[in-house]
């Protein structure tokens, strides 16, 4: 029995086309993969250096579809020798398969390459010294014999054996998945989800993967389904496509889609007639498990709304929860019903040596007398001072007060501005694996006044969990800037609440003099009114004209790495954040991350790094979490959490991140697709955060994303400094375009019941 499949792996070929005819000028090369110098995660194209098994010790360059191959693996490559005009002789790969090394040196290098958790170069040398060329067979047949190796105790032996078994099983899943070009990291996730049943699920129920394995969507599951022979018009395929279309809509912010839109989008996706799609939708809605049918009022008619079940239940639960809080007869802040407000405001004036403006005073009164209230307003309008005043009065009456925000950075800032402890919503609610909260209707928070800042970030599902945890009679104050971008998740909760007459609200509009002197504040308000910002009036607001989209990236890198640190003394990684309208393109977050990493944390001899797919992680890198992971850290790590790479352990195969909540969190190497670099992030991902300085590329290449609330949100993320880089045409377009249309939500309607 072989240790890992040898020669059985399905050949890899470039995505979207078959490998060239191997007869015409083809060659074979057996080599050990030594290092990867470039890998494109989307296309699979890879540039690497490999050590030939025969024919000399010099490394050769190999190029082609190698994504999935691991450094240290022995590969049998099919392709041809070519000569590049700049880089010289190289081997163009058409396909490859993995093979097991047969020599002592090959086995030692293979084991010590970091492929097997717990085995580094020194341990590999000791194991191979003991077992020689039989090493791999020994580990595979009787891993307990590793205890014979000096320095390997029972605990370490057991861990290595378990890692070996898992690696072999993952490899078997990969062998099958490689035929439909599923990446290595996704193969690992499939195995970890289903264990020994993985191949059975992949072959017999591929559409389960789209719902149950993070990172696998309908298109990947559909490719697998085609490979295993599922008909293109099979009912399970159509139903999976309908759910995928609704899921894509939720990623775009919608809680539901009108039924005709849903059918039309799915017809376009599948290339089928409308009739079988409409029939499958009717069946899904009748089952009522995954898709819910409802009627949502719209002007003089109704919309046949089709929800994914979690969004329907969350939206309805949120509306019922808010109405329940508003209508309850209990009041945990009942003392404020009869308070002498003149005395209360005089006490605040003496305490803070500052006067509340009339609309701020109205907000204080509203928050302490209404069970649910919304406080909104732009930068410089005194939201933080108003919140601090509300909290001070409540605490003076002995009330139990909690402050929270959706992100760690926002919670930190709220604590700094008010002088009171603030936590993230996830930590306050103690969200658990699966997304359930420790605090809910049956176990509410012990709180009299709950203040939630950056409420524009609240999506429908998180807002529902929040409201469930508020006890009857407690007061809930939602604070946020409704003119910013809506939440990343589905819904536009703050906007829907302000559209409902049921929820009391105050909008702060007065910009205070000191704030108005800031170019950041003044220009944010100009943009919000649809007026071009002043580009040469302020010492904290800069404009760098650059009409060539390809040169914008060069200018951004120069500004971040040299100009801002030299002029303002700010750290280019910790203090400066690039906010891009979109991910793709030269001035997009993806390319800017690559460029900024090269400039700020370049590769250095002897410095640990870890390549994962098309990205390489190095010590000091700034990274951001892109999904909720409730299993990590003390209380989970959540989408939008930013951190710095603190350590890389190639033997234990872990990468350690120090998060912006000052917590060290370990990631297995197989989990690194949860992280992306964060030197540059999209404006959407920056919501709820604030940075000393922001740099924003504004280019025509991001034309579809250019809109007023996006630019306004980017500018308002800055505390001290804003730098815009790009074309005047793009800037004018962003200011002129009011924003995208309303999302499909039913919350306002449900609050009118």
């Amino acid at each position: 029995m072989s240790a890992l499949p040898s020669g059985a792996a399905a050949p890899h070929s470039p995505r979207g086309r078959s490998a060239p005819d191997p007869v015409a000028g083809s060659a074979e090369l057996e080599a050990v993969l030594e290092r990867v110098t470039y890998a494109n995660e989307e296309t699979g194209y890879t540039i690497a250096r490999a050590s030939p098994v025969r024919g000399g010790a010099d490394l050769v360059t190999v190029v082609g579809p190698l994504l999935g191959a691991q450094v240290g693996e022995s590969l049998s490559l099919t392709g041809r020798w070519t000569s590049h005009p700049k880089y010289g002789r190289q081997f163009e790969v058409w396909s490859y398969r993995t093979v097991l090394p047969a020599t002592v040196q090959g086995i030692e290098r293979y084991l010590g390459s970091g492929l097997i958790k717990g085995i580094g170069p020194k341990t590999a040398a000791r194991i191979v010294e003991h077992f020689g060329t039989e090493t791999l067979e020994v580990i595979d047949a009787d891993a307990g014999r590793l205890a014979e190796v000096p320095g390997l105790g029972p605990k370490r032996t057991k861990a290595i054996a378990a890692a070996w078994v898992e690696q072999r099983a993952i490899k078997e899943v990969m062998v099958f998945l490689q035929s439909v070009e599923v990446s290595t990291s996704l193969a690992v996730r499939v195995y970890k989800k289903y264990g020994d049943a993985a191949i059975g699920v992949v072959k017999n129920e591929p559409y389960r993967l789209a719902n149950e394995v993070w990172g696998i969507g309908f298109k990947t599951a559909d490719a697998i389904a085609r490979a295993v022979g599922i008909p293109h018009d099979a009912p399970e395929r159509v139903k999976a496509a309908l759910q995928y279309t609704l899921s894509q809509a939720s990623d775009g912010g919608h809680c539901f889609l009108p039924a005709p839109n849903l059918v039309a989008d799915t017809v376009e996706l599948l290339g089928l007639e409308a009739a079988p799609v409409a029939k499958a939708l009717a069946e899904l809605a009748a089952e009522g498990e995954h898709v819910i049918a409802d009627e949502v009022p719209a002007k003089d008619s109704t919309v046949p709304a089709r929800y994914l079940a979690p969004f329907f239940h969350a939206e309805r639960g949120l509306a019922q929860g808010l109405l329940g809080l508003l209508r309850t007869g209990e009041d945990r802040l009942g003392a404020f019903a009869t308070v002498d407000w003149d005395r209360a405001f005089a006490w605040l004036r003496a305490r803070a040596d500052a006067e509340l403006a009339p609309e701020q005073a109205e907000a204080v009164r509203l928050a302490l007398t209404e069970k649910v209230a919304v406080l909104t307003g732009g930068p410089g309008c005194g939201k933080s001072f108003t919140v601090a005043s509300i909290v001070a009065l409540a605490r003076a009456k002995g009330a139990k007060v909690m402050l929270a925000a959706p992100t760690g950075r926002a919670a930190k800032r709220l604590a700094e501005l008010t002088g009171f402890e603030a936590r993230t919503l996830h930590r306050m609610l103690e969200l658990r694996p699966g997304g359930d909260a420790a605090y809910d209707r049956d176990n509410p928070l012990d709180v009299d006044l709950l203040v939630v800042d950056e409420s524009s970030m609240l999506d429908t599902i998180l807002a529902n969990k929040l409201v469930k945890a508020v006890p009857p009679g407690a007061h809930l104050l939602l604070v946020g800037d409704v003119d910013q971008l809506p939440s990343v998740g589905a819904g536009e909760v703050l906007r829907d609440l302000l559209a409902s007459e049921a929820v009391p609200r105050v909008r702060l509009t007065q910009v205070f003099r000191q704030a108005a002197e800031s170019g950041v504040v003044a220009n944010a308000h100009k943009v919000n009114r649809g007026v071009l910002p002043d580009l040469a009036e302020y010492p904290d607001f800069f404009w760098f004209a650059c009409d060539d989209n390809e040169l914008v990236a060069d200018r951004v890198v120069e500004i971040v790495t040299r100009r801002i640190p030299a002029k303002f003394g700010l750290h280019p990684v910790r203090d400066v954040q690039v906010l891009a309208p979109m991910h793709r393109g030269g001035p997009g977050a993806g390319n800017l991350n690559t460029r900024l990493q090269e400039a700020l944390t370049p590769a250095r001899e002897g410095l640990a790094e870890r390549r994962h797919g098309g990205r390489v992680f190095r010590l000091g890198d700034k990274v951001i979490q892109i999904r909720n992971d409730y299993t990590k850290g003390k209380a989970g790590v959540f989408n939008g959490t930013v951190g710095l790479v603190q350590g890389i352990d190639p033997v234990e195969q872990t990468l350690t991140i120090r998060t912006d909540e000052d917590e060290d969190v370990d990631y297995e190497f197989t989990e690194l697709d949860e992280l992306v670099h964060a030197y540059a992030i999209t404006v959407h991902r920056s919501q709820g955060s604030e940075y000393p300085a922001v740099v924003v590329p504004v280019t025509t290449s991001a034309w579809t994303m250019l809109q007023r609330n996006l630019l306004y949100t980017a500018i308002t993320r800055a505390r001290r400094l804003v730098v815009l880089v790009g074309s005047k045409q793009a800037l004018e377009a962003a200011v002129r375009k009011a924003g995208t249309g309303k999302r499909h939500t039913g919350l306002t309607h449900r609050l009118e019941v």
Side-chain angles (χ1 to χ4, degrees):
M1 177 170 150
S2 64
L4 287 175
S6 177
H12 295 239
S13 62
R15 291 180 184 233
R17 58 191 175 91
S18 59
D21 180 3
V23 175
S26 67
E28 302 288 329
L29 173 66
E30 287 193 21
V32 176
L33 194 62
E34 297 289 352
R35 65 176 180 271
V36 175
T37 56
Y38 170 81
N40 186 309
E41 211 162 2
E42 294 179 10
T43 65
Y45 181 80
T46 303
I47 301 173
R49 297 282 279 169
S51 175
V53 173
R54 291 178 294 275
D58 290 344
L59 296 182
V60 298
T61 299
V62 294
V63 299
L66 280 167
L67 208 60
Q70 303 293 308
V71 171
E73 283 189 311
S74 295
L75 305 176
S76 177
L77 306 164
T78 299
R80 65 177 179 177
W81 289 100
T82 63
S83 181
H84 190 279
K86 182 176 180 181
Y87 300 108
R89 190 168 186 255
Q90 56 189 29
F91 192 83
E92 180 188 323
V93 178
W94 297 339
S95 65
Y96 79 87
R97 57 189 175 87
T98 57
V99 295
L100 288 174
T103 67
V104 167
Q105 294 85 352
I107 293 170
E108 182 178 326
R109 188 169 8 169
Y110 174 77
L111 278 182
S113 66
L115 277 172
I116 308 301
K117 186 175 179 179
I119 302 181
K122 292 181 180 177
T123 303
R126 292 205 304 271
I127 293 172
V128 174
E129 183 182 4
H130 188 79
F131 294 114
T133 56
E134 297 180 0
T135 296
L136 299 181
E137 285 74 13
V138 168
I139 298 175
D140 193 54
D142 186 7
R145 287 189 59 194
L146 287 172
E148 299 173 13
V149 178
L152 287 187
K155 185 176 180 181
R156 187 104 179 274
T157 297
K158 188 176 180 181
I160 292 172
W164 179 265
V165 170
E166 179 176 275
Q167 184 73 16
R168 182 180 61 196
I170 290 170
K171 202 74 172 180
E172 289 172 355
V173 175
M174 282 174 55
V175 166
F176 178 75
L177 290 182
Q178 282 167 355
S179 64
V180 288
E181 297 179 344
V182 174
S183 71
T184 306
S185 59
L186 291 183
V188 171
R189 287 192 182 279
V190 170
Y191 173 75
K192 290 197 170 180
K193 175 70 179 176
Y194 302 112
D196 292 340
I199 292 178
V201 171
V202 169
K203 287 184 175 179
N204 302 317
E205 303 173 275
Y207 292 108
R208 278 180 63 186
L209 303 176
N211 294 324
E212 297 174 359
V213 180
W214 180 76
I216 294 185
F218 170 80
K219 291 181 179 179
T220 300
D222 199 39
I224 296 170
R226 286 200 306 273
V228 299
I230 291 178
H232 78 286
D233 59 350
E236 64 262 42
R237 179 176 187 246
V238 180
K239 290 180 180 180
L242 284 161
Q243 292 176 71
Y244 168 76
T245 303
L246 280 174
S247 177
Q248 288 293 100
S250 71
D251 288 345
H254 300 292
C255 288
F256 69 83
L257 280 181
N261 301 33
L262 174 56
V263 170
D265 290 350
T266 308
V267 164
E268 185 178 350
L269 173 69
L270 297 179
L272 296 175
E273 297 295 320
V277 176
K279 180 185 177 186
L281 177 58
E283 291 174 358
L284 271 174
E287 293 164 7
E289 181 181 356
H290 299 296
V291 175
I292 308 291
D294 196 18
E295 299 292 322
V296 173
K299 294 183 181 178
D300 300 326
S301 61
T302 60
V303 173
R306 300 297 180 263
Y307 289 79
L308 284 177
F311 298 105
F312 173 80
H313 295 305
E315 187 178 85
R316 186 174 64 173
L318 173 57
Q320 291 173 345
L322 287 167
L323 291 172
L325 291 175
L326 283 163
R327 293 168 179 171
T328 183
E330 300 176 50
D331 193 345
R332 290 185 171 222
L333 296 179
F336 287 98
T338 57
V339 79
D340 182 335
W341 286 104
D342 288 338
R343 285 186 60 191
F345 291 140
W347 178 81
L348 281 173
R349 190 182 313 119
R351 178 181 179 274
D353 193 26
E355 182 90 32
L356 286 166
E359 56 190 13
Q360 290 178 309
E362 181 190 352
V364 171
R365 190 182 291 114
L366 196 75
L368 296 172
T369 57
E370 297 285 355
K371 310 292 183 9
V372 179
V374 173
L375 172 61
T376 189
C381 292
K383 291 195 301 294
S384 299
F385 181 59
T386 306
V387 169
S389 301
I390 292 166
V391 171
L393 277 177
R395 288 171 67 95
K397 289 290 187 181
K400 296 174 181 174
V401 179
M402 287 186 178
L403 305 179
T407 67
R409 281 177 178 259
K412 267 186 178 179
R413 193 176 75 254
L414 181 60
E416 290 166 1
L417 293 171
T418 62
F420 301 105
E421 181 192 6
R423 290 182 289 170
T424 63
L425 287 171
H426 299 89
R427 290 186 185 277
M428 183 187 72
L429 297 173
E430 294 183 17
L431 294 184
R432 297 163 171 170
D436 292 330
Y439 293 96
D440 54 19
R441 195 164 286 119
D442 297 326
N443 181 36
L445 296 163
D446 184 14
V447 65
D448 302 322
L449 170 64
L450 174 57
V451 180
V452 180
D453 197 11
E454 294 287 355
S455 293
S456 62
M457 293 184 67
L458 282 176
D459 60 58
T460 302
I461 287 184
L462 182 56
N464 181 44
K465 295 181 194 299
L466 166 69
V467 169
K468 276 184 182 178
V470 180
H475 288 220
L476 173 64
L477 175 63
L478 299 174
V479 183
D481 185 348
V482 74
D483 294 319
Q484 288 184 20
L485 289 169
S487 58
V488 175
E492 44 188 355
V493 172
L494 191 62
R495 198 163 296 168
D496 284 350
L497 294 183
L498 289 169
S500 168
E501 295 300 321
V503 181
R505 84 291 306 277
V506 170
R507 180 163 192 148
L508 304 180
T509 57
Q510 178 184 342
V511 180
F512 291 93
R513 183 178 59 80
Q514 186 177 359
E517 294 171 357
S518 158
V520 175
V521 172
N523 279 332
H525 284 281
K526 276 180 173 288
V527 167
N528 201 32
R529 295 195 305 270
V531 178
L532 273 174
D534 288 324
L535 301 177
E537 297 292 319
Y538 298 98
D540 60 351
F541 201 99
F542 293 85
W543 166 254
F544 285 84
C546 185
D547 291 327
D548 187 334
N549 289 336
E550 296 306 312
L551 295 179
V552 167
D554 295 339
R555 185 61 64 88
V556 167
V557 171
E558 179 197 8
I559 289 166
V560 171
T561 60
R562 291 202 305 106
R563 290 185 177 238
I564 291 178
K567 185 174 179 64
F568 296 96
L570 295 174
H571 192 281
V573 177
R574 292 192 303 269
D575 299 330
V576 184
Q577 183 62 59
V578 177
L579 301 180
M582 59 196 299
H583 183 77
R584 297 190 178 200
N591 180 55
L592 285 170
N593 269 316
T594 301
R595 297 286 308 278
L596 287 164
Q597 185 193 37
E598 288 172 3
L600 295 168
T601 53
R604 291 190 178 94
E605 192 69 35
L607 194 66
E609 61 177 46
R610 175 65 185 182
R611 180 172 290 278
H612 186 84
R615 293 189 291 275
V616 59
F617 295 92
R618 299 188 183 116
L619 292 174
D621 272 344
K622 181 158 65 172
V623 295
I624 188 169
Q625 176 84 7
I626 60 171
R627 68 178 287 247
N628 291 343
D629 189 334
Y630 301 98
T631 65
K632 291 203 171 304
K634 294 174 185 172
V637 179
F638 302 97
N639 190 359
T641 299
V642 174
L644 297 176
V645 177
Q646 295 286 98
I648 300 174
D649 188 332
V651 176
E652 292 304 315
Q653 299 188 358
T654 57
L655 182 143
T656 303
I657 304 295
R658 169 66 59 85
T659 72
D660 53 11
E661 295 182 64
D662 298 322
E663 181 182 10
D664 286 342
V665 178
D666 288 339
Y667 288 76
E668 302 265 338
F669 283 171
T670 57
E671 298 172 325
L672 293 182
D673 49 358
E674 294 185 14
L675 296 171
V676 297
H677 292 93
Y679 299 102
I681 59 176
T682 61
V683 179
H684 282 83
R685 285 207 172 276
S686 74
Q687 288 174 261
S689 295
E690 197 176 66
Y691 315 94
V694 300
V695 179
V696 187
V698 185
T699 66
T700 53
S701 63
W703 195 260
T704 57
M705 299 297 294
L706 293 177
Q707 58 196 49
R708 192 179 302 160
N709 60 351
L710 184 135
L711 182 58
Y712 173 75
T713 300
I715 292 171
T716 57
R717 299 306 87 208
R719 262 200 313 271
R720 288 178 50 188
L721 176 68
V722 169
V723 181
L724 304 182
V725 186
S727 75
K728 203 70 167 288
Q729 181 190 10
L731 180 63
E732 289 170 349
V735 172
R736 187 171 58 243
K737 189 176 177 184
T740 52
K742 191 179 184 307
R743 295 176 170 188
H744 291 300
T745 67
L747 180 59
T748 301
H749 144 67
R750 297 183 195 282
L751 288 169
E752 305 307 322
V753 177

